[in-house]
Amino acid sequence: MKPVHYSIVPKHPAAHLFEVTLTVAEPDPLGQRFSLPVWIPGSYMVREFARHIVTLTAHSGGRRVAVEKIDKQTWQAAACKGPLTLVYEVYAWDLSVRAAHLDDEVGFFNGTSVFLSVEGQEGSPCEIEIRKPEGAAFRDWRVATALPEARGTKRYGFGKYLAADYDALIDHPVSLGRFALARFEAFGVPHDVVICGTVPKLDLERLTRDLKPICEAQIALFEPRTKRAPFERYVFMTMAITDGYGGLEHRASTALICKRADLPVVGQEGLNEGYQTYLGLCSHEYFHSWNVKRIKPASFAPYDLTSENYTELLWLFEGFTSYYDDLILLRSGVIDRNTYFGLLGKTIAGVLRGSGRLKQSVAESSFDAWIKYYRQDENTPNAVVSYYTKGSLVALAFDLTIRAQTQNRKSLDDVMRLLWQRYGRDFYHGKGRGIAEDEVQALFAEATGADLRKLFAQAVHGTRDLPLAELLEPFGVTLEADASGTTPSLGARVRGGADCALTHVHDGSAAQKAGLSAGDVLVALDGVRVTGGNLDALLSRYRAGDRVELHVFHRDVLRAVQLKLDPAEVTRYRLSAAEARGTAKKWGDAWLKD
Ligand code: ZN
């Protein structure tokens, strides 16, 4: 198969335009079709990337070839003899990890936003030339990607890169610009840390020192004997900005976005919450190298990039990854047990706050991710459960149940390892197949010997709250609600700022009973002006059950309502192993391995 050639250049950084030239050596003699994905794997929402293709022309042998658009993401070129070349411009102004961005400071793209696939040649190898933008301002720009360089191209240099096929091409995002760079090895495999964006006094050395044990703990979890990583090289690519958070997993890299303030400063000691959140994000995306990039649901193998790909298993791919991301921070010594318990307590409180958990199972939430979890609105807490947070508690419930039933001889680690051995290890070595939806339960049983039928029914397919306190008890860990808060609640979420607007009204809450809706702007509480910044302070003067008068703008019309305040919301659950003794202590220590 002849390779498909792509050439991409940041043509007009000021206009945020990449120009792409695509050459097919042997186009379909009846007329070649091209298409752009409608979604990017890892982010389960139809995003219609083709809407950012601004202009597109085709030519062959010096002659223009007619191109017709046949649906929102597909182009049909007329029949031609000999190589066919497309030239098109892509508008890139999305500073997220999911699409493409270009300005005079930084460039970033995912293949799903910029590279059309050549229908019928998706399996062909790809050559990608990444060209430097013109102008002195870009003289010291470099390239960061996990794509292997072609002969003659230096690492981090502009030039030619290679991908085995289209699937690989779109699974290696590329960063361009001036970036800070550090390297470390995890069990002999090189890892790059790339930070784009201005971060004064960034402590890169600290970053590599903290990431290394996280990576090694994960490699050792999946390959305890060989300590073999599933890639030859890995790149952590971070865009640091004033405010933002997110990450997207890829087979040998991750694209991350974080607050500048979350990154460690030279001389900083200890672990503040921002940096811990960042390391948790790195840990999460890195874990995906195994769980979802290689161990995949059957419906992702291969991905269908033309429409939604349905699976009920995101609780396993996102939820279990969310369980392990923080647990690995603990196991690798980056956080201590109390910090871990604090994170767990916060997750538990978060899950228990939304009544959507009583209406939707994590399997249903996975299936509907495309239209619900990824398209959140004012009703989401009342209608949707997160397969991330509840999914991580489902993982905890499985881990504790397996350990208790097997006297701590087996654990969730054994499930992950069997998934890895059976589906993940050889995924990119010609034997790849995804796990079918109905194979999961049997695999859990095979890996552990535990009877997990009831847990599957309750935790995965049911909506009742998980009996976490009961499950934690044999491990010497107590769980209780932190009921120390006395500030009563309206039963609604508000947006901070000068205006105090309601964003969500919880089912059955005081706010709902008083007829308040999302979008209403609170003006006064018992005659005192309310802002996004002072609502809590005002409410703290009252007790649950007190009656108050609220003035609100409802679609810009003032109304006054009477409201009986709800009890304080539980924002934290407290976990403690202080009372652990004997076997319970031993089991707890084995679970937490800290
Ligand atoms: Zn994830």
Side-chain angles (χ1 to χ4, degrees), residues 130 141-144 149 153-161:
I130 304 172
W141 273 33
R142 293 191 286 177
V143 177
E149 304 85 10
T153 297
K154 286 202 188 109
R155 182 144 299 171
Y156 317 116
F158 285 87
K160 283 194 178 145
Y161 290 81

Side-chain angles (χ1 to χ4, degrees), residues 1-4 24-28 32 118-126 165-166:
M1 275 185 291
K2 292 216 168 130
V4 176
V24 189
E26 292 170 351
D28 183 339
Q32 182 62 54
V118 181
E119 219 165 272
Q121 298 190 30
E122 295 87 348
S124 299
C126 304
D165 51 28
Y166 186 75

Side-chain angles (χ1 to χ4, degrees), residues 42 44 247-249 281 284-285 288 291-292 317-319 321-322 325 374 387-388:
Y44 306 108
L248 198 60
E249 67 275 12
L281 180 64
H284 180 97
E285 304 306 343
H288 275 315
N291 196 31
V292 95
F317 293 101
E318 288 300 347
T321 301
S322 297
D325 59 21
Y374 264 92
Y387 49 77
Y388 283 88

Side-chain angles (χ1 to χ4, degrees), residues 530-568:
V530 175
T531 68
N534 75 351
L535 179 65
D536 270 355
L538 285 175
L539 284 172
S540 70
R541 307 180 70 85
Y542 296 85
R543 287 292 167 264
D546 284 353
R547 288 179 183 281
V548 295
E549 185 183 50
L550 274 172
H551 280 87
V552 306
F553 277 118
H554 177 75
R555 286 201 290 272
D556 293 339
V557 177
L558 189 66
R559 53 164 79 161
V561 299
Q562 306 294 319
L563 184 144
K564 193 172 139 205
L565 292 170
D566 281 343

Side-chain angles (χ1 to χ4, degrees), residues 170-184:
I170 61 164
D171 203 14
H172 289 84
V174 176
S175 283
L176 308 170
R178 284 175 288 270
F179 45 75
L181 176 67
R183 269 165 261 172
F184 67 92

Side-chain angles (χ1 to χ4, degrees), residues 182-443:
R183 269 165 261 172
F184 67 92
E185 286 193 352
F187 292 126
V189 172
H191 288 59
D192 284 350
V193 180
V194 173
I195 309 283
C196 302
T198 309
V199 186
K201 293 191 73 183
L202 172 65
D203 192 348
L204 269 174
E205 201 271 322
R206 166 91 193 262
L207 207 44
T208 57
R209 202 169 65 230
D210 289 337
L211 283 171
K212 182 185 168 87
I214 294 170
C215 298
E216 290 193 338
Q218 296 195 16
I219 295 168
L221 189 160
F222 285 98
E223 294 286 3
R225 204 171 48 81
T226 64
K227 309 277 196 298
R228 193 177 296 145
F231 33 68
E232 286 168 17
R233 176 181 166 231
Y234 191 87
V235 183
F236 287 98
M237 241 182 264
T238 300
M239 179 71 214
I241 56 175
T242 302
D243 198 10
Y245 174 83
L248 198 60
E249 67 275 12
H250 299 282
R251 69 183 69 175
S253 60
T254 178
L256 310 164
I257 197 155
C258 76
K259 287 185 197 166
R260 190 175 287 124
D262 289 350
L263 294 171
V265 174
V266 175
Q268 173 183 323
E269 285 182 27
L271 197 67
N272 61 30
E273 202 179 320
Y275 183 41
Q276 177 197 302
T277 303
Y278 174 77
L279 289 176
L281 180 64
C282 292
S283 177
H284 180 97
E285 304 306 343
Y286 195 74
F287 196 85
H288 275 315
S289 308
W290 292 267
N291 196 31
V292 95
K293 292 315 306 188
R294 288 173 176 82
I295 307 163
K296 295 178 186 230
S299 61
F300 290 0
Y303 298 115
D304 173 2
L305 297 166
T306 65
S307 65
E308 291 85 349
N309 291 190
Y310 296 105
T311 174
E312 284 192 356
L313 299 177
L314 294 183
W315 57 270
L316 169 57
F317 293 101
E318 288 300 347
F320 280 36
T321 301
S322 297
Y323 173 61
Y324 275 104
D325 59 21
D326 287 339
L327 191 61
I328 294 282
L329 294 189
L330 174 69
R331 286 185 184 176
S332 58
V334 172
I335 60 173
D336 60 20
R337 191 181 285 201
N338 277 339
T339 308
Y340 179 68
F341 281 167
L343 291 170
L344 208 49
K346 217 167 130 184
T347 303
I348 293 169
V351 170
L352 292 177
R353 237 190 340 257
S355 64
R357 76 188 197 281
L358 305 171
K359 297 161 196 165
Q360 194 188 40
S361 69
V362 286
E364 291 167 331
S365 180
S366 299
F367 191 86
D368 270 340
W370 303 84
I371 56 165
K372 293 196 174 178
Y373 186 79
Y374 264 92
R375 288 169 67 178
Q376 301 200 5
D377 60 24
E378 70 291 336
N379 195 43
T380 295
N382 294 333
V384 175
V385 70
S386 164
Y387 49 77
Y388 283 88
T389 51
K390 167 95 185 267
S392 76
L393 300 183
V394 170
L396 170 67
F398 271 112
D399 202 2
L400 298 177
T401 302
I402 293 163
R403 287 171 184 275
Q405 272 193 35
T406 63
Q407 310 288 308
N408 239 339
R409 278 191 293 271
K410 297 284 180 184
S411 73
L412 199 61
D413 295 1
D414 294 288
V415 173
M416 296 316 301
R417 276 193 284 268
L418 189 59
L419 278 166
W420 171 243
Q421 288 155 15
R422 192 148 305 160
Y423 298 96
R425 198 187 265 155
D426 292 325
F427 189 82
Y428 292 118
H429 306 297
K431 283 178 272 180
R433 113 174 155 81
I435 182 164
E437 309 276 314
D438 60 5
E439 288 175 324
V440 173
Q441 199 165 327
L443 183 134

